[in-house]
Amino acid sequence: MRKVVLITGVSSGIGAATALALAGAGYRVFGGARSPAKLAPIPGVEIVALDVRDEAQVRAAVAQIEEAAGSIDIVINNAGVSLVGPVEATSVAEARALFDTNVFGVLNVVQAVLPGMRQRQAGLIVNISSVLGFLPAPFMGLYASSKHALEGLSETLDHEVRDFGIRVMLVEPSFTNTKLDTNAARTSTRIAAYAEALDRSTRAVQEQVESAPSPESVAAAIVKALQAPHRLRQPADKRAKLLSTLRRFAPAKQVDKSLRGAFGL
């Protein structure tokens, strides 16, 4: 029998590419989207209405999929938003909105799928993180914080559910050539003192995004990770693997200097 996969945030980018790749690899794929009516069909993917911020809708979508397919073997928490701006300029409301999707949205999905996985004593939860889950990011402080939080949640959860035959995996891409990085929201408050550094950092990020891996390459890495022996952290591209190694073994001053240069500081 084909394994059943639920992917959140399939309207574009990594989510859409992963849904298409997994359908092509023989999985039965359900794609969650906030506005299914506006979404172009993805061959081989069954679309369900799913806003990860809405706990009731998440539980209804999971129940719908379990009724249709019998189970959910793999869930890929991909839905996410970004935010650019100084920490000082980030309102609490903006921070909460970002965490509602990137952290609490994941929590909603995890809590909805775990009862079925525990009953079957099998399952895999894949959380799409980022290299910013283990590195800081100037002018992306709340986004990086949300990914740091996701990494902590994922590592803890893997310990808690392992005895039920369930594992957790983190996929960590570097910058990816998607709308998430190019069209990231800006903080509504602007502080002139940060303007020059913010402008340099934004240009540096945009230059890196233009030459970054495509969503399809990240999707291929996800498919490969699903079919390989379990490993908690899965850097999704060559740069992510390099950064992961440097973070662990390089001197802190070297990492700090390199990171500041990468962000135009």
Side-chain angles (χ1 to χ4, degrees), residues 212-225:
S214 68
E216 288 73 22
S217 68
V218 177
I222 292 171
V223 175
K224 184 177 180 181

Side-chain angles (χ1 to χ4, degrees), residues 23-102:
Y27 294 81
R28 184 174 181 184
V29 180
F30 291 85
R34 284 187 295 178
S35 303
K38 299 179 181 179
L39 185 64
I42 303 175
V45 178
E46 301 170 62
I47 303 299
V48 296
L50 200 164
D51 183 340
V52 297
R53 301 169 299 178
D54 186 332
E55 182 181 357
Q57 190 180 65
V58 170
R59 292 188 179 278
V62 167
Q64 175 187 339
I65 295 167
E66 289 178 335
E67 182 176 356
S71 67
I72 296 175
D73 301 299
I74 302 168
V75 62
I76 301 177
N77 286 302
N78 167 75
V81 295
S82 189
L83 181 68
V84 175
V87 170
E88 184 181 351
T90 306
S91 70
V92 172
E94 288 171 327
R96 282 176 176 155
L98 187 143
F99 268 70
D100 274 347
T101 295
N102 292 6

Side-chain angles (χ1 to χ4, degrees), residues 3-230:
K3 286 192 174 182
V4 177
V5 184
L6 166 61
I7 308 176
T8 67
V10 299
S11 58
S12 63
I14 292 172
T18 302
L20 187 61
L22 285 172
Y27 294 81
R28 184 174 181 184
V29 180
F30 291 85
R34 284 187 295 178
S35 303
K38 299 179 181 179
L39 185 64
I42 303 175
V45 178
E46 301 170 62
I47 303 299
V48 296
L50 200 164
D51 183 340
V52 297
R53 301 169 299 178
D54 186 332
E55 182 181 357
Q57 190 180 65
V58 170
R59 292 188 179 278
V62 167
Q64 175 187 339
I65 295 167
E66 289 178 335
E67 182 176 356
S71 67
I72 296 175
D73 301 299
I74 302 168
V75 62
I76 301 177
N77 286 302
N78 167 75
V81 295
S82 189
L83 181 68
V84 175
V87 170
E88 184 181 351
T90 306
S91 70
V92 172
E94 288 171 327
R96 282 176 176 155
L98 187 143
F99 268 70
D100 274 347
T101 295
N102 292 6
V103 180
F104 301 124
V106 171
L107 183 61
N108 283 336
V109 175
V110 165
Q111 291 182 340
V113 301
L114 274 177
M117 289 182 173
R118 281 192 292 102
Q119 184 177 10
R120 294 188 307 279
Q121 294 284 293
L124 177 64
I125 296 168
V126 181
N127 294 330
I128 306 301
S129 182
S130 164
V131 295
L132 302 188
F134 58 82
L135 285 171
F139 303 110
M140 297 179 72
L142 271 298
Y143 178 78
S145 296
S146 73
K147 294 302 183 181
H148 275 66
L150 180 63
E151 298 236 343
L153 184 152
S154 299
E155 191 163 357
T156 296
L157 182 63
D158 185 60
H159 285 289
E160 293 176 352
V161 300
R162 198 178 303 178
D163 290 342
F164 303 119
I166 305 164
R167 297 307 302 263
V168 181
M169 181 187 298
L170 284 158
V171 174
E172 301 167 324
S174 61
F175 285 118
T176 308
N177 200 334
T178 68
K179 293 179 180 178
L180 179 68
D181 290 321
T182 56
N183 297 334
R186 297 291 191 96
T187 57
S188 58
T189 298
R190 306 295 170 91
I191 300 177
Y194 294 104
E196 183 180 348
L198 175 57
D199 185 57
R200 291 200 311 271
S201 180
T202 301
R203 289 200 305 270
V205 169
Q206 289 174 342
E207 289 173 3
Q208 293 177 71
V209 168
E210 289 174 1
S211 59
S214 68
E216 288 73 22
S217 68
V218 177
I222 292 171
V223 175
K224 184 177 180 181
L226 295 185
Q227 298 172 347
H230 175 268

